[in-house]
Coordinates of all heavy atoms in Angstrom, one line a residue:
Y119 N -42.0 42.1 -26.9 CA -43.2 42.8 -27.6 C -43.2 42.2 -29.1 O -44.4 41.8 -29.5 CB -43.0 44.3 -27.7 CG -43.8 45.0 -28.7 CD1 -45.2 45.1 -28.6 CD2 -43.1 45.6 -29.8 CE1 -45.9 45.8 -29.5 CE2 -43.8 46.3 -30.7 CZ -45.2 46.4 -30.6 OH -46.0 47.1 -31.5
R140 N -45.0 41.8 -18.6 CA -45.7 41.1 -19.7 C -46.2 42.0 -20.7 O -46.7 43.2 -20.4 CB -46.8 40.1 -19.3 CG -46.4 38.8 -18.7 CD -47.6 37.9 -18.6 NE -48.3 37.7 -19.8 CZ -49.5 37.1 -20.0 NH1 -50.2 36.7 -19.0 NH2 -50.0 36.9 -21.2
I141 N -46.3 41.6 -21.9 CA -47.0 42.3 -23.0 C -48.4 41.7 -23.2 O -48.4 40.5 -23.4 CB -46.2 42.3 -24.3 CG1 -44.9 43.2 -24.2 CG2 -47.1 42.9 -25.4 CD1 -45.2 44.6 -24.1
L142 N -49.5 42.5 -23.0 CA -50.8 41.9 -23.2 C -51.4 42.4 -24.5 O -51.3 43.6 -24.9 CB -51.7 42.3 -22.1 CG -51.3 42.0 -20.6 CD1 -52.2 42.4 -19.6 CD2 -51.0 40.4 -20.5
L143 N -52.0 41.5 -25.3 CA -52.7 41.9 -26.5 C -54.1 42.1 -26.3 O -54.7 41.6 -25.2 CB -52.4 40.9 -27.6 CG -51.0 40.4 -27.8 CD1 -50.9 39.4 -29.0 CD2 -50.1 41.7 -28.2
A144 N -54.9 42.7 -27.1 CA -56.3 42.9 -27.0 C -57.1 41.6 -26.7 O -56.8 40.6 -27.2 CB -56.9 43.6 -28.2
G145 N -58.0 41.8 -25.7 CA -58.8 40.6 -25.2 C -59.0 40.7 -23.7 O -58.8 41.7 -23.1
K146 N -59.3 39.5 -23.2 CA -59.5 39.4 -21.7 C -58.5 38.5 -21.2 O -58.1 37.5 -21.6 CB -60.9 38.8 -21.4 CG -61.2 38.7 -19.9 CD -62.6 38.2 -19.7 CE -62.9 38.0 -18.3 NZ -64.3 37.5 -18.0
H147 N -57.8 39.0 -20.0 CA -56.6 38.3 -19.4 C -56.9 38.2 -17.9 O -57.1 39.1 -17.2 CB -55.3 39.1 -19.6 CG -55.0 39.4 -21.1 ND1 -54.2 38.5 -21.8 CD2 -55.3 40.4 -21.9 CE1 -54.1 39.0 -23.0 NE2 -54.8 40.1 -23.2
S159 N -49.4 47.3 -12.3 CA -49.6 48.5 -13.1 C -49.7 48.2 -14.6 O -49.3 47.1 -15.1 CB -48.2 49.3 -13.0 OG -48.0 49.6 -11.6
F160 N -50.3 49.1 -15.3 CA -50.6 49.0 -16.7 C -50.3 50.2 -17.4 O -50.6 51.2 -17.0 CB -52.2 48.6 -16.9 CG -52.6 47.4 -16.1 CD1 -53.3 47.6 -14.8 CD2 -52.6 46.1 -16.7 CE1 -53.8 46.6 -14.2 CE2 -53.0 45.1 -16.0 CZ -53.6 45.3 -14.7
F161 N -49.5 50.0 -18.6 CA -49.1 51.1 -19.4 C -49.5 50.8 -20.8 O -49.4 49.7 -21.3 CB -47.6 51.3 -19.3 CG -47.2 51.6 -17.8 CD1 -46.7 50.5 -17.0 CD2 -47.1 52.8 -17.3 CE1 -46.3 50.6 -15.7 CE2 -46.8 53.0 -15.9 CZ -46.3 51.9 -15.2
A162 N -49.8 51.9 -21.6 CA -50.0 51.8 -23.1 C -48.6 51.7 -23.7 O -47.7 52.4 -23.4 CB -50.7 53.0 -23.6
Y163 N -48.5 50.6 -24.5 CA -47.2 50.4 -25.2 C -47.5 50.4 -26.7 O -48.3 49.7 -27.2 CB -46.6 49.1 -24.8 CG -45.2 48.8 -25.2 CD1 -44.2 49.3 -24.4 CD2 -44.8 48.2 -26.4 CE1 -42.9 49.1 -24.7 CE2 -43.5 48.0 -26.7 CZ -42.6 48.4 -25.9 OH -41.2 48.3 -26.2
D164 N -46.8 51.4 -27.4 CA -47.0 51.5 -28.9 C -48.2 52.5 -29.2 O -48.0 53.4 -30.0 CB -47.1 50.2 -29.6 CG -47.3 50.3 -31.0 OD1 -46.5 51.1 -31.6 OD2 -48.1 49.7 -31.8
K165 N -49.3 52.2 -28.7 CA -50.5 53.0 -28.8 C -51.5 52.9 -27.7 O -51.4 52.1 -26.9 CB -51.2 52.8 -30.2 CG -51.6 51.3 -30.3 CD -52.2 51.1 -31.8 CE -52.5 49.6 -32.0 NZ -53.0 49.4 -33.4
A166 N -52.5 53.8 -27.6 CA -53.5 53.9 -26.5 C -54.1 52.6 -26.4 O -54.4 51.9 -27.4 CB -54.4 55.0 -26.7
V167 N -54.5 52.2 -25.2 CA -55.2 51.0 -24.9 C -56.7 51.3 -24.6 O -57.0 52.1 -23.7 CB -54.7 50.2 -23.7 CG1 -55.4 48.9 -23.4 CG2 -53.2 49.9 -23.9
E168 N -57.6 50.8 -25.5 CA -59.0 51.3 -25.4 C -59.9 50.3 -24.7 O -59.7 49.1 -24.7 CB -59.4 51.5 -26.9 CG -58.6 52.4 -27.8 CD -58.8 53.8 -27.4 OE1 -59.7 54.2 -26.6 OE2 -58.1 54.7 -28.0
N169 N -61.0 50.9 -24.1 CA -62.0 50.2 -23.5 C -61.5 49.2 -22.4 O -61.8 48.0 -22.4 CB -62.9 49.4 -24.5 CG -63.5 50.3 -25.5 OD1 -64.2 51.3 -25.1 ND2 -63.3 50.0 -26.8
V170 N -60.7 49.8 -21.5 CA -60.1 49.0 -20.4 C -61.0 48.8 -19.3 O -61.6 49.7 -18.7 CB -58.8 49.7 -19.9 CG1 -58.2 48.9 -18.8 CG2 -57.8 50.0 -21.1
T171 N -61.3 47.5 -19.0 CA -62.1 47.2 -17.8 C -61.3 46.3 -16.8 O -60.6 45.4 -17.3 CB -63.3 46.3 -18.3 OG1 -64.2 47.1 -19.1 CG2 -64.1 45.8 -17.1
L172 N -61.2 46.7 -15.7 CA -60.5 46.0 -14.6 C -61.4 45.5 -13.5 O -62.2 46.3 -13.0 CB -59.3 47.0 -14.0 CG -58.2 47.4 -14.8 CD1 -57.4 48.6 -14.2 CD2 -57.3 46.2 -14.9
T179 N -62.0 49.7 -13.1 CA -62.4 50.6 -14.3 C -63.3 50.0 -15.2 O -63.4 48.7 -15.3 CB -61.2 51.2 -15.1 OG1 -60.6 50.1 -15.7 CG2 -60.1 51.8 -14.1
T180 N -64.1 50.7 -16.0 CA -65.1 50.2 -17.0 C -64.8 51.0 -18.3 O -65.2 52.2 -18.3 CB -66.6 50.3 -16.5 OG1 -66.6 49.5 -15.2 CG2 -67.4 49.7 -17.6
E181 N -64.5 50.3 -19.2 CA -64.2 50.8 -20.6 C -63.6 52.2 -20.6 O -64.1 53.2 -21.3 CB -65.6 50.9 -21.3 CG -66.2 49.5 -21.4 CD -67.6 49.6 -22.2 OE1 -68.1 50.7 -22.6 OE2 -68.1 48.5 -22.5
E182 N -62.4 52.3 -20.0 CA -61.6 53.5 -19.9 C -60.4 53.4 -20.9 O -60.3 52.2 -21.6 CB -61.1 53.9 -18.5 CG -62.3 54.2 -17.6 CD -61.9 55.0 -16.3 OE1 -60.8 55.7 -16.4 OE2 -62.5 54.9 -15.3
T183 N -59.7 54.4 -21.1 CA -58.5 54.4 -22.0 C -57.2 54.6 -21.3 O -57.1 55.5 -20.4 CB -58.7 55.5 -23.1 OG1 -59.9 55.3 -23.8 CG2 -57.5 55.5 -24.0
I184 N -56.2 53.9 -21.5 CA -54.9 54.1 -21.1 C -54.1 54.8 -22.2 O -53.8 54.2 -23.2 CB -54.1 52.8 -20.7 CG1 -54.9 52.0 -19.7 CG2 -52.7 53.1 -20.1 CD1 -54.3 50.5 -19.3
E185 N -53.9 56.1 -22.0 CA -53.3 56.9 -23.0 C -51.7 56.7 -22.9 O -51.2 56.4 -21.9 CB -53.6 58.4 -22.7 CG -55.0 58.8 -22.7 CD -55.6 58.8 -24.2 OE1 -54.8 58.5 -25.2 OE2 -56.8 59.0 -24.3
I186 N -51.1 56.9 -24.1 CA -49.6 57.0 -24.1 C -49.1 58.0 -23.2 O -49.6 59.2 -23.3 CB -49.1 57.2 -25.6 CG1 -49.5 56.0 -26.4 CG2 -47.7 57.5 -25.6 CD1 -48.6 54.8 -26.2
G187 N -48.1 57.7 -22.3 CA -47.6 58.7 -21.5 C -48.2 58.8 -20.1 O -47.6 59.4 -19.2
T188 N -49.4 58.3 -19.9 CA -50.0 58.5 -18.6 C -49.5 57.4 -17.5 O -49.1 56.4 -17.9 CB -51.5 58.3 -18.7 OG1 -52.1 58.5 -17.5 CG2 -51.9 56.8 -19.0
R190 N -51.5 57.0 -14.7 CA -52.6 56.9 -13.9 C -52.9 55.4 -13.5 O -53.6 55.2 -12.4 CB -53.8 57.4 -14.8 CG -55.2 57.3 -14.0 CD -56.3 58.1 -14.7 NE -57.6 57.7 -14.2 CZ -58.4 56.9 -14.9 NH1 -58.2 56.5 -16.1 NH2 -59.6 56.6 -14.4
F191 N -52.5 54.4 -14.3 CA -52.8 53.1 -14.0 C -51.6 52.4 -13.3 O -51.5 51.2 -13.4 CB -53.1 52.4 -15.3 CG -54.5 52.7 -15.8 CD1 -54.6 54.0 -16.5 CD2 -55.5 51.9 -15.7 CE1 -55.9 54.3 -17.1 CE2 -56.9 52.3 -16.2 CZ -56.9 53.5 -16.9
I203 N -58.2 41.8 -16.6 CA -58.2 43.1 -17.4 C -58.7 42.7 -18.8 O -58.3 41.7 -19.3 CB -56.8 43.7 -17.6 CG1 -56.8 45.0 -18.5 CG2 -55.7 42.7 -18.0 CD1 -55.6 45.8 -18.5
S204 N -59.6 43.5 -19.4 CA -60.0 43.4 -20.8 C -59.9 44.6 -21.5 O -60.1 45.7 -20.9 CB -61.4 42.8 -20.8 OG -62.3 43.7 -20.3
F205 N -59.6 44.6 -22.8 CA -59.5 45.8 -23.6 C -59.7 45.4 -25.1 O -59.4 44.3 -25.4 CB -58.2 46.6 -23.4 CG -56.9 45.9 -23.5 CD1 -56.2 45.9 -24.7 CD2 -56.5 45.1 -22.5 CE1 -55.0 45.3 -25.0 CE2 -55.2 44.3 -22.7 CZ -54.5 44.5 -23.9
S206 N -60.2 46.4 -25.8 CA -60.6 46.1 -27.2 C -59.4 46.3 -28.3 O -59.5 45.7 -29.3 CB -61.8 46.9 -27.6 OG -61.5 48.3 -27.6
S207 N -58.5 47.2 -27.9 CA -57.5 47.5 -29.0 C -56.2 48.0 -28.2 O -56.4 48.6 -27.1 CB -57.9 48.4 -30.0 OG -58.3 49.6 -29.4
G208 N -55.1 48.0 -28.9 CA -53.8 48.5 -28.3 C -53.0 47.4 -27.7 O -53.4 46.3 -27.7
I209 N -51.8 47.8 -27.3 CA -50.9 46.9 -26.6 C -50.7 47.5 -25.1 O -50.3 48.6 -24.9 CB -49.5 47.0 -27.4 CG1 -49.7 46.6 -28.9 CG2 -48.6 45.9 -26.7 CD1 -50.2 45.2 -29.1
C210 N -50.8 46.5 -24.2 CA -50.6 46.9 -22.8 C -49.4 46.2 -22.2 O -49.3 45.1 -22.3 CB -52.0 46.4 -22.1 SG -51.9 46.9 -20.2
L211 N -48.7 47.1 -21.5 CA -47.4 46.5 -20.7 C -48.0 46.4 -19.3 O -48.3 47.4 -18.6 CB -46.3 47.5 -20.9 CG -45.0 47.2 -20.1 CD1 -44.3 46.0 -20.8 CD2 -44.1 48.3 -20.1
M212 N -47.9 45.2 -18.8 CA -48.4 45.0 -17.4 C -47.1 44.6 -16.5 O -46.3 43.8 -17.0 CB -49.3 43.7 -17.3 CG -49.8 43.4 -15.9 SD -51.1 42.1 -15.9 CE -50.0 40.6 -16.1

Side-chain angles (χ1 to χ4, degrees):
Y119 162 69
R140 280 192 63 190
I141 293 289
L142 303 179
L143 308 181
K146 182 177 179 179
H147 302 269
S159 302
F160 304 95
F161 303 93
Y163 196 83
D164 182 45
K165 55 186 176 181
V167 181
E168 304 286 352
N169 298 310
V170 179
T171 296
L172 288 166
T179 66
T180 300
E181 296 185 356
E182 295 198 26
T183 300
I184 306 178
E185 300 284 357
I186 290 287
T188 185
R190 177 170 165 253
F191 289 76
I203 178 174
S204 66
F205 55 99
S206 62
S207 63
I209 305 292
C210 183
L211 180 71
M212 179 176 76

